[in-house]
Amino acid sequence: MSEQENAPQGQFALERLYLKDASFEIPGAEVFTQQWDPELDINLKSTAEQLDPTHFEVAIKVVVTAKNAGDTAFIVDVTQAGIFLVDSVEEDRLPYLLGAYCPSILFPFLREAVNEFVTKGSFPQLLLSPINFDAEFEANMARIAQETGNA
């Protein structure tokens, strides 16, 4: 047998999925008396925090501000999180797992929560567009490499 066949295999699993934080605000009811033609500002970010040697909390947060006729119609702020078991995974794979793979697992749940808040607020459904977290991760790594090279 080769060394690679005897090497321990890493473990990766989603152990818990939860809504970490959520808020929904409608600053003024006059928005319901106006023609609905919203302008959306969507800000998304992800974070990862090591909880112990084998567990990480990964969270994705989105803040959506909808303006209609210049007034803020609603603000929805949702953080979806998960606790992931990451054990004996190659160190060079860890940034990708935490920065792209885990957020892609969490995103459908975040998307559903945002839509639920918005529709319960009496607005038309808001389905966030799918995100290619792999491409975003690669772009961020390239940007960091360029900034590091220029520094």
Side-chain angles (χ1 to χ4, degrees):
M1 281 194 209
S2 71
E3 276 186 43
Q4 196 163 16
E5 290 173 351
N6 290 330
Q9 296 295 314
Q11 289 184 322
F12 175 84
L14 172 62
E15 291 193 343
R16 183 163 306 263
L17 176 71
Y18 57 100
L19 185 62
K20 184 169 183 162
D21 188 26
S23 70
F24 182 76
E25 179 183 352
I26 301 171
E30 65 277 352
V31 70
F32 295 116
T33 63
Q34 301 167 345
Q35 173 82 20
W36 185 241
D37 185 23
E39 294 177 25
L40 299 176
D41 179 29
I42 302 171
N43 293 300
L44 182 96
K45 73 174 185 173
S46 69
T47 59
E49 177 184 343
Q50 189 164 10
L51 303 175
D52 64 35
T54 60
H55 291 92
F56 289 83
E57 177 194 57
V58 177
I60 52 175
K61 175 180 178 153
V62 68
V63 178
V64 179
T65 304
K67 292 192 178 225
N68 192 54
D71 295 325
T72 300
F74 67 80
I75 302 167
V76 62
D77 182 340
V78 177
T79 304
Q80 184 72 49
I83 296 184
F84 293 86
L85 169 69
V86 182
D87 189 19
S88 301
V89 171
E90 297 171 12
E91 194 67 30
D92 64 332
R93 296 285 299 153
L94 194 57
Y96 168 76
L97 282 174
L98 300 176
Y101 192 73
C102 292
S104 69
I105 291 171
L106 298 173
F107 184 76
F109 300 96
L110 175 81
R111 185 177 190 232
E112 178 185 18
V114 167
N115 186 54
E116 192 169 321
F117 279 109
V118 170
T119 56
K120 284 185 177 183
S122 189
F123 293 96
Q125 68 172 291
L126 174 62
L127 296 174
L128 298 174
S129 297
I131 296 172
N132 183 338
F133 286 96
D134 290 339
E136 291 295 324
F137 178 78
E138 293 298 327
N140 283 336
M141 296 310 290
R143 180 183 48 77
I144 289 168
Q146 185 178 24
E147 288 173 1
T148 305
N150 292 338

